Structure formats: structure tokens, C-alpha cells
Amino acid sequence: MLLKKEKDASSQLLESLENISTLVPSTALPLHFSRDFINWKGIPVSANLSNQGYNYETEFPPQNTPSPITGHVSIGPGQFKKHLPHTIISMTSLTLGNILPIAENKNAQVNGPLISIIIPNSSIHEISLTFSKMKLNLSQPQCVFWDFSHLQWTDTGCHLENETANLVTCLCTHLTSFSVLMSSIVP
């Protein structure tokens, strides 16, 4: 019972942060807020977005790692469905992903920053996300997003595009909070 309450609380915290992001008026943009564990960036959208796309890069100081922890988001030109949004808010955290539970039957852990992309009243065809690996000894990356309805990480609409020694790149067909799960067990 306690695990269920904790699971709900951590999901509610993430959902509250996303909801707060949707309330930022375009008159308050551009916005940049950065602390040791969380970064927020908000931009008003101009007509150039349809030609240039959207790129967001964030960096955190090394966390028991040889280099900084980074996250990168790219939404290419023409990837927005229907119409251009008015605002885009990006939120990245090193700690929020760790408080969201992993299914008991999975031997995996969050191994990258949690990246949320909030674009009110808009949808996309595809988004590219690149995560620094926080632990280099883990394997089998799985591109996931936090499913608020089922209170779990899921990979629906996301797949692994590329993996290097330090980075994992995912492609997804929707917007929400993303990260990468990796295992300490090699099959």
C-alpha cells in the first residue's frame, strides 16, 4: 500500500510540474530557470519554427561521471501536426526520473535525465531525444516515457535510434516526459 502511495505521489509531482509549465503565459517568455537538479526553458514560437524546427540542449555538472550529463531535443521542420504552437516549454531533471518506480519484474533503472517537452494544444509527428548515460556500465537501452494513466514507464511510440558509449538517441511520436531505462544484466 505504501509503495502505491509513493508511486502516485511521484507521478503527481511530475504531472504538477508539467501542468505549471502549461500555465506560463507567452508574455513571460523567453524563460530560463536552472538549478543543480532541474532546468526549465520556455520560448515563444515564431514563424521561423516551421522552417528551422526546435532544438533544446541542457547540461548538468558531472554527477560521479567523467563528463557533464546532457540532454538534447530536436523537433525537425515540418514535424508539427496541424498548426504551430504558441509556446514550447522544456524541462529536464536529473532526480525526478529516479523517484518514479520501475516495474517489479524489470531489472532496469533510469540511466539518463528526465526530459519533458510541453507544447500546449499541439502534437508532433516525431521528436528526437538524446540522453547522456549517467552510468556507463549499464546496457540494453530502452526508450521510454512516463505514462500518467498507468503510473509506469512504457515504450509505446518510442524506439531506440542509436547508442554510443556515452549517449542514447530515441525517436518518439508524441510529447510527454521521456527518459531511458537500462539494465545491469547482460543477456
Side-chain angles (χ1 to χ4, degrees):
M1 186 65 159
L2 182 60
L3 180 60
K4 175 150 178 45
K5 287 181 183 175
E6 289 175 5
K7 184 186 216 179
D8 291 351
S10 58
S11 184
Q12 287 173 5
L13 173 61
L14 177 60
E15 190 170 27
S16 295
L17 291 171
E18 285 192 12
N19 288 337
I20 288 169
S21 296
T22 65
L23 298 175
V24 175
S26 59
T27 55
L29 301 176
L31 163 77
H32 191 105
F33 174 82
S34 183
R35 294 292 181 263
D36 289 343
F37 65 95
I38 195 162
N39 288 334
W40 257 298
K41 180 182 179 186
I43 62 162
V45 173
S46 69
N48 293 344
L49 190 67
S50 61
N51 297 327
Q52 298 172 348
Y54 172 74
N55 285 291
Y56 166 70
E57 186 112 17
T58 188
E59 183 176 294
F60 293 96
Q63 308 284 314
N64 300 322
T65 57
S67 58
I69 303 297
T70 62
H72 181 260
V73 173
S74 178
I75 303 174
Q79 290 299 316
F80 290 95
K81 294 181 181 177
K82 297 180 185 169
H83 56 80
L84 287 178
H86 296 291
T87 62
I88 299 177
I89 307 286
S90 302
M91 179 181 68
T92 307
S93 173
L94 289 181
T95 55
L96 283 174
N98 294 326
I99 65 170
L100 295 166
I102 308 294
E104 290 178 22
N105 61 346
K106 288 194 174 201
N107 181 25
Q109 58 187 284
V110 172
N111 196 32
L114 179 134
I115 301 174
S116 297
I117 304 300
I118 300 102
I119 306 178
N121 304 318
S122 191
S123 57
I124 54 137
H125 293 286
E126 187 172 76
I127 183 172
S128 173
L129 304 115
T130 301
F131 304 90
S132 281
K133 294 179 184 177
M134 294 190 298
K135 294 180 181 175
L136 300 179
N137 62 336
L138 300 180
S139 62
Q140 299 173 286
Q142 182 183 9
C143 300
V144 294
F145 74 95
W146 184 253
D147 183 340
F148 290 103
S149 300
H150 297 99
L151 300 175
Q152 66 184 7
W153 292 106
T154 185
D155 62 358
T156 304
C158 293
H159 69 274
L160 178 67
E161 176 71 10
N162 191 32
E163 178 187 14
T164 67
N166 300 325
L167 301 171
V168 173
T169 301
C170 302
L171 292 178
C172 297
T173 58
H174 51 81
L175 299 167
T176 189
S177 295
F178 303 95
S179 196
V180 60
L181 297 179
M182 294 183 73
S183 176
S184 57
I185 295 177
V186 178

